Amino acid sequence: MLYPRMTEKRQKKPLDGVWKFQLDPSGKGVGERWPSQGIPSPIHMPVPSSYNDITTSEAIRDFLGDVWYETSTYVPSEWMTERIILRFGAVAHHAKVWVNGHFVTESHNGFLPFEADVTPFVNEEKMNRIVVKVNNELTWDMLPPGDVIEKVTEDGEIKRTLHQQHDFFNYAGIHRSVFLYTTPQTFIHSLNIGTDFNGETGIITGESESPPSAFVYYSLKDDQGEIIAERHGATTEIQVPEAEAWSPDNPYLYKLDVYLKDGEGTILDHYYLNVGIRKIEVKDEQLLLNGSPIYLKGFGKHEDAVIRGKGYDPVTNLRDMYLMKETGANSFRTAHYPYAEEVLQLADQLGFLVIDETSAVGLLSQGVPATGNLEPVFSNGKISSHLKEYHLDTLQRLIERDRNHPSVIMWSLSNEASTMEPEAEVYYKDLVELVRKLDDRPIMNVNLMLIEPEKCFVSKLVDIIGLNVYFGWYSTPGDLKAGTAELRNYLERWAKTHDKPIVITEYGVDTMPGLHKVPAVMFSEEFQVQFLEKYHNVFDEFPKVVGEQVWNFADFMTKQDTVRVDGNKKGIFTRDRQPKMAQYTLQKRWKSPLREGK
Ligand code: GCB
C-alpha cells in the first residue's frame, strides 16, 4: 500500500481537522443506523489525535468500548473518472468505516494503515458522509494483547476494566492522518526498492507491481533533479557509479520517478520515492553500514505527547528529531509498535537509523498472585493460532509498508516476550522465516533482563540481540555499584553464549525533573546521570555491544499505577520536550568519538 502522494496523475485531500464524536457505551450505534443517519449527539474531536485527553471528562479518558467519529466532505468533479480511495494512517484499535451509509472496510490493527476503494459510494454533487466506529478493547487475539475484565459493583452495575501487560497508556482514536486520494484506473500497485553499495558504486533494484498491459519506466534523479539513469521494465537494476551513500551524517536522497505507460507511450500513472543508497549488514559480530562498523546511539521512543496522546503531530515529531540530533543520537527504536509513516520519511531526510518494531509487546508471563509462579504464555495456549497469524500479518504489512525507507535498518520481532519457554522457538522460527522471505535486513528480538542468555530459545534465530537492562533500578534499587556489577556479569554471559552483536535497547531510570540530591538517590537528576555514566563504562568493555538506546527519549503516559507518577518518568526529556540534566551527559558522550572505530 503506497503512501498517498500528489503527482500530475494522482490527487489527495487530507480529511484531518475537527470531526464529530460520540461515546456509545451500550453499543447501539449500528442498530440506530448512525452510519447512514449520522451520530445523534456529537461533541467536537480533533483528527488525528487520541480522544482520551482532549476534554476534561474522566468518562472519556477512561472509556472502554465503542466510540463514533463522523465527517463530511465534497469530492471534486474531476475525480469522478478516477479510483477514489479512503485511507487511514492508523486507528487504535478496531475500526469499521461507512461512506454514505455503505460499509467499506474494517481494521483490527491500531498501528498500521488501511484503506478502501470508495469509488462506487461517492456522490458527485452532494456532501459525502464518512462515519467510523472505533473500539479500544484488547484481546489475546491481537497485538498488543490484553483482557477486558468485568466485575459487578456493589450497586449491581457491571464495571469493565482493561488488563494490559504493556507500560503505556491505552490511547485510542483516529491516530494518524485520513486521506481521500485518487489513482488512475490503471495504476502502480506497489513498489519494492532495494539498494546495495560497494564503497563506490550503488545498486538500486526496483520491482513494481502493476497491470501487465502497462509498461513501467523508472527515472532516477540526483538531489538537484539531474537525470542519472532511465530504465524500462517492471523489474530493474540501476548501477550508480560514484554513488553518494546514505548515512546519518550524509542522508543523501536520490529521487526515483516511476511511470506507467500504455503502448503509445502515454503516461497512465506516476509515483515517486526518495531513495537512499546504503548497505546494512551484520558481519563478524558487528553492525556494518556501507561496509564500516556503526555504533547506534539513541533512544527507545514512544508516540506520545501531552493532550494529543498518540495522535500523529508533525510539530512534536520535528522537535523530537532536532532534540535527538542535538544530543548526538544517530538512531531510535519505534518501541513498541510501528510509527506513523511520516516519522520514517523524516528519519530518511534527517538521517536516523531506525529499529522498526512490531506491536508485539506484552507477550510475557505474568506472576500468578496465589502461587507466585509465572503463568506461561507460549506453552499453555494463551497464545492462540489467531494471535500468531496476527503477528505474522503485522510483520508482513510492516515490511511491505516500510521496506523502501533507507532509515529502516532492521526489523524487531517483539519486545520482552517469554522467550525462555521452549514453545517460543517454533513460534519465532515462523516469524523469522517470513521476514527472510520478504526482506534482507537484519532481524532483532528485544529481551527482558530476566531472560537468561543460556536459556533463551529465540536469540539463536535472530541476527542481532536487543537487551533491556535495569540493574540498579528494578534489581538492587538505588545501589549502582551492585547494579553495574550485575550488568557486567549479564553482558559477559550474553557475549559468551551468542556470537552476535548486541544492542542495549533499553537502560534508564525514572527521574523527576528538578529533583536534586547529593549524594544521589533514585528519582533525582543526579541518579539518572550517574546511572548512565556507570552503564556506559560497562558497555565500553564489550566489543559485541554495538549500540546503546536510552529508555526513554521523553517521559510518557502510562496507566495509573503505584510505580508510576503521572506516567513513566524515564525520559531524558520531559513530556513537553525540555531537557533533564542527563541530556548533557549523553551529548558529551555521543558527540565525541566513542571507542576506536565506533
Ligand atoms: C521495559 C519495557 C518498557 C517499559 C520499561 C520501564 O522493559 O520494555 O516498555 O516502559 O521497561 O520503564 O519499566
Side-chain angles (χ1 to χ4, degrees), residues 167 336 415-416 468 470 474 506 551 556 564 568 570:
D167 184 35
H336 295 307
N415 181 72
E416 299 191 342
N468 296 347
Y470 294 95
Y474 289 126
E506 289 183 23
W551 191 255
F556 58 92
R564 295 287 175 256
N568 188 310
K570 294 195 183 68

Side-chain angles (χ1 to χ4, degrees), residues 302-564:
H302 260 302
E303 287 188 314
D304 173 276
V306 275
I307 303 174
R308 56 202 316 158
K310 289 206 170 315
Y312 173 68
D313 173 15
V315 178
T316 309
N317 187 33
L318 250 170
R319 168 89 177 167
D320 286 6
M321 300 253 176
Y322 285 132
L323 290 177
M324 287 196 288
K325 279 275 165 197
E326 182 61 24
T327 311
N330 62 8
S331 69
F332 62 91
R333 176 169 63 120
T334 71
H336 295 307
Y337 37 80
Y339 287 6
E341 286 148 285
E342 292 84 353
V343 175
L344 299 178
Q345 289 162 7
L346 263 183
D348 293 343
Q349 291 168 24
L350 297 176
F352 285 101
L353 304 167
V354 177
I355 302 178
D356 205 359
E357 188 157 278
T358 71
S359 48
V361 54
L363 296 177
L364 187 63
S365 327
Q366 295 285 294
V368 181
T371 60
N373 294 333
L374 285 182
E375 183 194 25
V377 174
F378 290 95
S379 48
N380 73 343
K382 182 112 183 131
I383 290 195
S384 62
S385 57
H386 283 138
L387 191 136
K388 185 171 175 186
E389 271 163 37
Y390 189 101
H391 201 160
L392 287 163
D393 176 66
T394 298
L395 249 181
Q396 170 147 4
R397 286 168 57 197
L398 175 72
I399 294 171
E400 285 170 358
R401 191 194 74 160
D402 293 348
R403 63 191 171 192
N404 295 330
H405 289 284
S407 55
V408 173
I409 54 158
M410 68 182 84
W411 309 109
S412 165
L413 302 177
S414 66
N415 181 72
E416 299 191 342
S418 286
T419 51
M420 67 291 226
E421 295 174 32
E423 288 77 1
E425 186 166 341
V426 189
Y427 182 98
Y428 276 85
K429 257 192 182 148
D430 291 346
L431 298 183
V432 168
E433 198 179 303
L434 175 75
V435 180
R436 302 264 188 242
K437 226 169 43 200
L438 295 172
D439 193 74
D440 58 5
R441 284 173 177 82
I443 303 175
M444 164 182 274
N445 192 52
V446 176
N447 293 290
L448 172 77
M449 72 181 200
L450 295 176
I451 301 288
E452 300 193 51
E454 305 83 8
K455 293 185 191 154
C456 176
F457 286 91
V458 170
S459 294
K460 60 185 171 195
L461 306 174
V462 300
D463 306 306
I464 183 158
I465 293 168
L467 296 182
N468 296 347
V469 280
Y470 294 95
F471 303 104
W473 183 259
Y474 289 126
S475 70
T476 62
D479 185 345
L480 288 179
K481 195 158 174 235
T484 40
E486 279 183 293
L487 172 70
R488 182 175 294 107
N489 177 266
Y490 191 59
L491 290 181
E492 269 164 9
R493 286 169 58 203
W494 275 98
K496 200 167 130 208
T497 319
H498 298 275
D499 51 359
K500 301 183 179 197
I502 295 168
V503 175
I504 308 298
T505 34
E506 289 183 23
Y507 63 111
V509 291
D510 289 81
T511 305
M512 299 308 290
L515 178 66
H516 292 285
K517 286 277 174 173
V518 186
V521 296
M522 292 173 82
F523 297 98
S524 69
E525 297 221 30
E526 285 76 9
F527 190 83
Q528 190 178 35
V529 166
Q530 287 183 18
F531 175 93
L532 295 178
E533 284 175 349
K534 290 201 157 51
Y535 265 51
H536 293 153
N537 291 338
V538 178
F539 300 162
D540 290 345
E541 295 169 19
F542 291 88
K544 277 188 189 173
V545 171
V546 300
E548 56 196 45
Q549 294 187 329
V550 178
W551 191 255
N552 187 286
F553 168 75
D555 295 345
F556 58 92
M557 194 42 66
T558 63
K559 69 173 188 192
Q560 298 189 55
D561 202 331
T562 46
V563 293
R564 295 287 175 256

Side-chain angles (χ1 to χ4, degrees), residues 1-2 10 187-191 208-211 269:
M1 199 191 299
L2 295 171
R10 289 169 175 244
F187 65 102
I188 301 160
H189 293 223
S190 72
L191 285 169
S208 138
E209 205 190 305
S210 43
D269 191 11

Side-chain angles (χ1 to χ4, degrees), residues 12-249:
K12 76 173 177 182
K13 174 178 168 29
L15 297 180
D16 297 351
V18 178
W19 290 38
K20 294 178 180 172
F21 175 87
Q22 189 170 338
L23 303 184
D24 183 11
S26 53
K28 61 185 182 196
V30 173
E32 291 187 357
R33 302 174 57 203
W34 295 3
S36 53
Q37 318 264 303
I39 54 182
S41 318
I43 61 166
H44 295 92
M45 194 55 73
V47 168
S49 176
S50 302
Y51 59 73
N52 309 78
D53 293 347
I54 303 297
T55 73
T56 54
S57 155
E58 191 179 321
I60 294 182
R61 186 193 63 196
D62 296 339
F63 186 75
L64 197 57
D66 292 346
V67 303
W68 292 76
Y69 284 80
E70 179 185 334
T71 192
S72 295
T73 181
Y74 282 103
V75 172
S77 300
E78 59 271 24
W79 285 25
M80 292 300 152
T81 53
E82 308 292 279
R83 292 174 68 242
I84 304 173
I85 313 294
L86 175 61
R87 184 197 211 258
F88 294 80
V91 179
H93 295 283
H94 311 275
K96 284 195 171 187
V97 184
W98 291 263
V99 173
N100 296 327
H102 301 276
F103 171 71
V104 294
T105 188
E106 64 186 302
S107 153
H108 297 281
N109 192 313
F111 302 97
L112 287 172
F114 62 98
E115 61 181 29
D117 182 342
V118 296
T119 321
F121 311 113
V122 168
N123 298 316
E124 183 171 357
E125 279 155 16
K126 285 193 287 182
M127 279 279 223
N128 293 279
R129 173 184 281 145
I130 299 168
V131 175
V132 187
K133 183 176 84 148
V134 179
N135 179 290
N136 63 346
E137 293 169 20
L138 301 174
T139 71
W140 272 83
D141 280 342
M142 63 184 283
L143 295 169
D147 297 287
V148 174
I149 295 168
E150 292 192 350
K151 267 198 197 142
V152 183
T153 62
E154 280 182 359
D155 21 327
E157 272 178 33
I158 296 179
K159 185 160 168 57
R160 304 171 78 234
T161 49
L162 187 71
H163 172 78
Q164 59 173 74
Q165 307 215 120
H166 48 278
D167 184 35
F168 51 92
F169 190 83
N170 186 43
Y171 279 116
I174 301 182
H175 277 163
R176 297 182 190 157
S177 289
V178 186
F179 291 109
L180 270 177
Y181 74 94
T182 68
T183 76
Q185 297 298 343
T186 307
F187 65 102
I188 301 160
H189 293 223
S190 72
L191 285 169
N192 184 3
I193 306 301
T195 71
D196 202 351
F197 181 68
N198 72 6
E200 227 171 72
T201 308
I203 297 169
I204 299 176
T205 51
E207 242 179 71
S208 138
E209 205 190 305
S210 43
S213 57
F215 301 95
V216 184
Y217 163 73
Y218 295 93
S219 169
L220 182 72
K221 307 195 171 70
D222 67 15
D223 66 351
Q224 302 302 306
E226 291 292 319
I227 296 178
I228 294 182
E230 294 172 301
R231 293 282 184 283
H232 289 276
T235 304
T236 199
E237 185 182 300
I238 304 174
Q239 302 243 358
V240 185
E242 290 168 40
E244 283 257 13
W246 182 96
S247 72
D249 293 335

